[in-house]
Amino acid sequence: MSRFQVKKVAVLGAGVMGAQIAAHLVNVRVPVVLFDLAAKDGPKNGIVTRAIDNLKKQKPAPLGDVADAVLIEPANYEDDLAKLGECDLIIEAIAERMDWKLDLYKKIAPHVAKHSILASNTSGLSITKLSEALPEALKPRFCGIHFFNPPRYMFLVELINTPTTQPQVLDDLEAFVTSTLGKGVVRAHDTPNFIANRVGIAGMLATLKEVEKFDLTPDVVDDLTGKKLGRASSGTFRTADVVGLDTMAHVVKTLQDNLNAETDPFYANFATPPVLAKLLELGNLGQKTKAGFFKKVGRDILRFDLASGDYVPAGEKADEVYGRMLRKPAGERLKLLRESEGPQGQFLWAILRDGFHYAAVHLAEIAESARDIDFAMRWGFGMKQGPFELWQEAGWAQVAKWVQEDIDAGKALSTAPLPKWVFEGPVAEAGGVHTPEGSWSASQNKFVAQRKLPVHDRQLFPESVRGANAADANTAGTTLSDEGDVRVWTLDGEVLIASIQSKMHAISPDVAEALGAAVDLAEAEYKGLVIWSPDEVFSVGADLQAMLPAFVVAGIGAVEGAEEELQNTMLKIRYASVPVISAVRGMALGGGCELAVYSAKRVAAMESYIGLVEVGVGLIPGAGGLTYIARRAAENAAASTGTDLLPFLTEGFTAAAMAKVGTGALDSKKLGYLLDSDVIVPNKDELLYVALQQARAMADAGYRAPLRRTFRVAGRSGAATIKGQLVNMRDGGFISAHDFHIASLIAHVVTGGDVDAGSLVTEEYVMALERKAFCSLIVHPKTQERIMGMLGTGKPVRN
């Protein structure tokens, strides 16, 4: 087994991609040196330092914590090439110019350590041609690595080998990219634009062709090709604006320059679309120039109209009949679209058909198997399903027949027939390209299993393709109880797992009761309890819809009783005799945040968004969130040399009063919802593995629950100080009168109520203050307006 370790990385090129790759390396705590040219004026590292400063301003934020920008070490090619010898991995990310890259390789080659991997981040240049500039000793350690933009958020990374790349190098790099960087790896053949951009950009060009054919507008197309179609919500044209029309044009040019009608039967469709050419001519490059296919003027969204050469009002929606069609089962959906008479339905069938056609024709050339194409399109282009998955779900033979009929009738974008393997042999017999044995490899003419490396053992329920019959986390293991909203189960007989199954994992009284029962069972028979669910949400908090009927029928007493039970559940979790681990992924809001902070430990995916957000519906945290803030302030103050509690309380109060949500795990740690002792896991698919390991380790180390103890509070004088600042905000028009009332109640609770500063209180005492304040708000008319507005529209009401 390889012992390759990446202790330090060099990134060459401080442009948009290079700087953001460096930022993500810092996010996952990998030391990084960022290189660029020496500046002609001023400090020699000026180009790099400006790029690092710019990282702090970008949206979405490349850095999990902007303060970490200082951890990126600046360097230049004139003075600092010797630093390359300290690096185990060198990622070249300069501009997409073959000649520039080759010149740089000649310059750095003598300084690369004998064990280091050198990888070129390119979206489509030939990795084999790039390798030709390297000395023979370095060629086996060279490969391509293609991050998608923005690197922090995009899951896909493509790895590309050359004929001389040593296989172990790719295995080592895949392990690092998977576990340390938290990415999904697809290995691509060294063909123009590799997999995702080859299929994705060809698909965008095909879409633009079909748009012209059916005379549709960008706003209608985006409405059709976004979430309704199971793709990124930004649709087609908005996605192009976000990516950058210059970037899109560059990828298109790579196809134009490196392919021809003989090597790609769809080549005639690769001409730069007239509308894209016009926008490039105008310098309207999308989001970066604030104008592209769309342009925002004030609050109005405009779309570019090629006929007039100007922007016109946007906002037109697709015909709802097609939205209904797209909600049908796959086979019925495609049949309805193919047989529809309206241009929007015909357009949808056309772009799906074009996608099936292109992927099938090019499978053998660009990818090891159909699985790689489907993963690449899911992870790189935000598709819910890859083209082969949708085709197979809809009925392989029937869809293949429809596609070939369109090809024969001249309706398709190319006359190239579907490959023979589509209709004959193992694929036809299996009813598709994905089977439990593996996915179809057209180049090897067989089904191939997914690559298995030691790092993949950390993924207990990795993403899989439809048809592979992979283990389902919703049914795996041994189920001990399943009350509908919470499944309690175990994989190993040692650690219990509780998976919340309610919508958005909202915490109702039934969920709270089931979690309490899970704690009892874990204490009796298991080493620990892990709270984890196999999707993108940890919990969005209390189930308001479940609470309202009780309020209507039994009044405020029922609400107070439910809140007390929820608080008792939190205390039960905190003082359990076995460790309770919250494995957080995605949103942990309100009660979800409280569930996490009352656990013995948190194991959080890098993109975890944690916060107490109750003020958005006119309430305060009521399941112990404010008690946690008060207790943590006292603990932090006790560990310092100061005696004043207020400075330690201010940040927690502000976070709750302003409903601040951490913009990732690192930011959530700054807000105090994650601690230094907690574990941040870069790869979401490793979350359960790490949480189970933590639970076992804590139990085996002799875990003991914290002892119940009193803590100091800031008292009425602390509350008065906070309220004085709130008065200024209210009188200055920054918050409404109801906002002031809510924030004052939060201040009253976190400072311990009407007691002297420094008074010792219990958690139960502060929780009683929470309940009283919570119940006073739920009967308030303005809070009820906010609750009903959120339940009705999903948007906060400001009143």
Side-chain angles (χ1 to χ4, degrees):
M1 178 176 168
S2 172
R3 300 296 300 168
F4 180 77
Q5 291 184 324
V6 179
K7 298 176 183 176
K8 194 172 190 178
V9 176
V11 177
L12 312 182
V16 172
M17 283 301 292
Q20 291 200 49
I21 291 169
H24 188 60
L25 286 161
V26 166
N27 289 339
V28 297
R29 298 299 180 255
V30 175
V32 59
V33 187
L34 181 59
F35 281 81
D36 211 303
L37 298 168
K40 294 179 180 178
D41 301 310
K44 279 195 170 182
N45 287 333
I47 293 173
V48 176
T49 54
R50 284 192 293 275
I52 294 172
D53 286 340
N54 192 45
L55 289 171
K56 304 173 189 176
K57 308 167 191 172
Q58 292 177 21
K59 299 292 180 184
L63 290 160
D65 180 353
V66 292
D68 287 344
V70 298
L71 301 177
I72 301 174
E73 181 183 348
N76 67 81
Y77 301 128
E78 285 187 12
D79 301 333
D80 302 314
L81 287 180
K83 293 182 179 180
L84 293 175
E86 307 167 4
C87 298
D88 308 293
L89 171 63
I90 300 167
I91 300 173
E92 171 271 304
I94 68 171
E96 294 279 277
R97 283 273 302 267
M98 179 74 72
D99 53 341
W100 291 1
K101 289 177 185 280
L102 295 177
D103 286 344
L104 180 61
Y105 292 174
K106 291 173 184 174
K107 182 183 292 186
I108 67 168
H111 303 276
V112 177
K114 292 182 179 179
H115 72 285
S116 296
I117 294 174
L118 172 62
S120 175
N121 181 71
T122 173
S123 60
L125 295 180
S126 170
I127 304 302
T128 302
K129 287 183 180 177
L130 288 171
S131 72
E132 293 170 0
L134 297 172
E136 292 301 316
L138 188 49
K139 285 182 179 180
R141 291 177 282 121
F142 176 74
C143 64
I145 184 169
H146 180 208
F147 288 87
F148 276 65
N149 190 23
R152 172 184 167 185
Y153 302 96
M154 294 300 289
F155 191 58
L156 177 64
V157 169
E158 294 175 318
L159 297 183
I160 310 97
N161 68 316
T162 74
T164 55
T165 304
Q166 186 179 354
Q168 186 64 53
V169 165
L170 284 182
D171 289 350
D172 290 340
L173 190 54
E174 179 168 344
F176 172 73
V177 170
T178 299
S179 197
T180 304
L181 300 189
K183 301 302 178 186
V185 171
V186 165
R187 296 204 189 175
H189 293 169
D190 188 13
T191 55
N193 288 350
F194 313 129
I195 297 176
N197 274 345
R198 178 71 176 271
V199 176
I201 296 300
M204 292 184 81
L205 290 171
T207 299
L208 291 175
K209 279 272 187 186
E210 303 293 0
V211 165
E212 289 180 38
K213 179 178 176 181
F214 293 104
D215 193 26
L216 301 177
T217 59
D219 42 3
V220 169
V221 170
D222 278 2
D223 190 35
L224 288 169
T225 60
K227 284 189 175 180
K228 290 177 181 176
L229 197 60
R231 298 184 178 181
S233 58
S234 50
T236 299
F237 291 97
R238 177 64 184 147
T239 297
D241 277 351
V242 171
V243 169
L245 304 192
D246 53 342
T247 302
M248 181 181 173
H250 170 78
V251 179
V252 170
K253 192 171 189 306
T254 303
L255 293 177
Q256 294 168 346
D257 292 347
N258 293 282
L259 296 169
N260 54 52
E262 292 182 3
T263 57
D264 192 318
F266 294 79
Y267 185 76
N269 303 292
F270 295 161
T272 303
V275 64
L276 177 60
K278 185 62 177 178
L279 288 167
L280 293 170
E281 179 189 325
L282 294 171
N284 295 354
L285 307 181
Q287 186 170 275
K288 67 182 76 173
T289 60
K290 303 189 185 306
F293 286 109
F294 294 101
K295 177 181 180 180
K296 190 173 183 181
V297 179
R299 294 187 176 183
D300 296 327
I301 303 294
L302 308 179
R303 62 173 174 82
F304 185 71
D305 177 60
L306 181 60
S308 64
D310 204 353
Y311 287 87
V312 299
E316 189 179 352
K317 297 293 184 182
D319 190 325
E320 178 52 33
V321 68
Y322 299 108
R324 291 195 294 271
M325 283 185 188
L326 291 173
R327 290 192 288 269
K328 299 286 186 181
E332 185 180 351
R333 181 193 325 158
L334 296 192
K335 184 175 188 295
L336 287 169
L337 292 174
R338 187 169 189 264
E339 294 175 354
S340 65
E341 297 181 0
Q344 294 179 21
Q346 293 174 20
F347 161 78
L348 284 169
W349 162 250
I351 63 171
L352 292 171
R353 176 203 63 215
D354 297 341
F356 300 148
H357 190 188
Y358 194 86
V361 167
H362 290 289
L363 174 58
E365 175 194 0
I366 67 175
E368 180 182 65
S369 77
R371 177 179 48 249
D372 295 319
I373 288 182
D374 280 344
F375 276 160
M377 298 313 294
R378 275 163 51 176
W379 298 343
F381 278 80
M383 292 185 176
K384 189 175 180 180
Q385 291 179 301
F388 288 118
E389 288 180 288
L390 174 57
W391 183 348
Q392 184 163 331
E393 183 186 0
W396 184 265
Q398 179 62 73
V399 173
K401 180 173 179 289
W402 287 338
V403 173
Q404 189 59 54
E405 285 175 356
D406 278 12
I407 296 169
D408 295 340
K411 295 179 180 179
L413 295 180
S414 167
T415 58
L418 289 174
K420 285 186 178 180
W421 57 260
V422 170
F423 299 101
E424 303 171 2
V427 171
E429 293 165 10
V433 292
H434 301 307
T435 70
E437 299 84 55
S439 293
W440 182 251
S441 172
S443 58
Q444 300 176 50
N445 202 37
K446 66 178 183 178
F447 292 106
V448 296
Q450 192 163 357
R451 184 176 293 101
K452 190 73 173 173
L453 300 176
V455 69
H456 297 145
D457 292 337
R458 296 168 59 87
Q459 300 181 5
L460 300 180
F461 299 100
E463 285 197 54
S464 184
V465 287
R466 184 180 186 88
N469 291 353
D472 183 354
N474 294 301
T475 56
T478 301
T479 299
L480 300 167
S481 69
D482 190 346
E483 300 302 324
D485 282 345
V486 178
R487 178 182 176 231
V488 180
W489 55 293
T490 183
L491 273 174
D492 57 7
E494 290 188 326
V495 179
L496 209 55
I497 304 168
S499 297
I500 304 175
Q501 301 175 137
S502 54
K503 184 178 180 182
M504 298 297 285
H505 303 170
I507 303 172
S508 65
D510 289 344
V511 168
E513 183 179 353
L515 290 175
V519 172
D520 291 338
L521 181 58
E523 288 182 315
E525 301 180 30
Y526 293 86
K527 287 186 173 183
L529 171 66
V530 170
I531 302 172
W532 172 85
S533 299
D535 53 24
E536 299 292 339
V537 177
F538 180 71
S539 172
V540 296
D543 188 343
L544 291 174
Q545 287 182 310
M547 188 181 295
L548 287 177
F551 172 57
V552 171
V553 173
I556 198 63
V559 174
E560 185 170 7
E563 281 299 297
E564 186 170 11
E565 286 301 313
L566 194 51
Q567 291 174 340
N568 289 338
T569 298
M570 298 302 173
L571 292 175
K572 191 172 198 175
I573 288 169
R574 172 165 164 76
Y575 293 108
S577 60
V578 295
V580 178
I581 311 290
S582 277
V584 180
R585 172 181 169 192
M587 293 184 289
L589 306 178
C593 174
E594 289 165 318
L595 186 58
V597 299
Y598 274 85
S599 299
K601 194 164 197 170
R602 287 138 296 279
V603 175
M606 181 64 72
E607 297 307 322
S608 296
Y609 305 94
I610 308 174
L612 297 169
V613 297
E614 286 83 351
V615 297
V617 288
L619 294 170
I620 67 165
L626 299 185
T627 304
Y628 168 79
I629 289 171
R631 175 175 59 78
R632 283 293 299 164
E635 291 170 351
N636 289 336
S640 76
T641 56
T643 57
D644 186 5
L645 266 174
L646 210 53
F648 299 94
L649 195 60
T650 301
E651 189 173 84
F653 164 79
T654 303
M658 296 182 66
K660 286 186 177 180
V661 176
T663 55
L666 297 177
D667 194 44
S668 297
K669 182 183 285 190
K670 286 178 65 180
L671 295 177
Y673 300 132
L674 295 177
L675 307 180
D676 288 337
S677 57
D678 293 331
V679 180
I680 296 175
V681 181
N683 194 310
K684 59 183 175 57
D685 291 330
E686 296 183 359
L687 192 63
L688 180 58
Y689 171 88
V690 175
L692 292 172
Q693 292 284 79
Q694 289 289 319
R696 291 190 203 99
M698 292 171 71
D700 291 344
Y703 175 78
R704 301 288 298 181
L707 296 174
R708 294 175 183 261
R709 64 178 67 204
T710 57
F711 53 91
R712 290 193 305 130
V713 289
R716 65 179 71 87
S717 60
T721 301
I722 295 173
K723 287 178 185 177
Q725 297 170 345
L726 293 173
V727 167
N728 292 335
M729 295 179 68
R730 180 196 63 194
D731 294 348
F734 297 103
I735 59 175
S736 70
H738 195 49
D739 291 329
F740 172 80
H741 177 58
I742 296 168
S744 297
L745 287 174
I746 292 174
H748 178 75
V749 174
V750 298
T751 57
D754 190 17
V755 297
D756 294 334
S759 294
L760 293 173
V761 300
T762 64
E763 287 171 296
E764 289 84 356
Y765 166 80
V766 182
M767 283 181 168
L769 295 178
E770 271 190 58
R771 288 198 305 276
K772 184 177 179 181
F774 184 93
C775 291
S776 74
L777 284 169
I778 207 164
V779 298
H780 198 293
K782 288 193 176 291
T783 285
Q784 291 178 1
E785 284 178 20
R786 292 190 182 189
I787 292 173
M788 298 312 294
M790 180 63 76
L791 292 177
T793 67
K795 297 179 181 179
V797 174
R798 308 313 307 166
N799 56 4

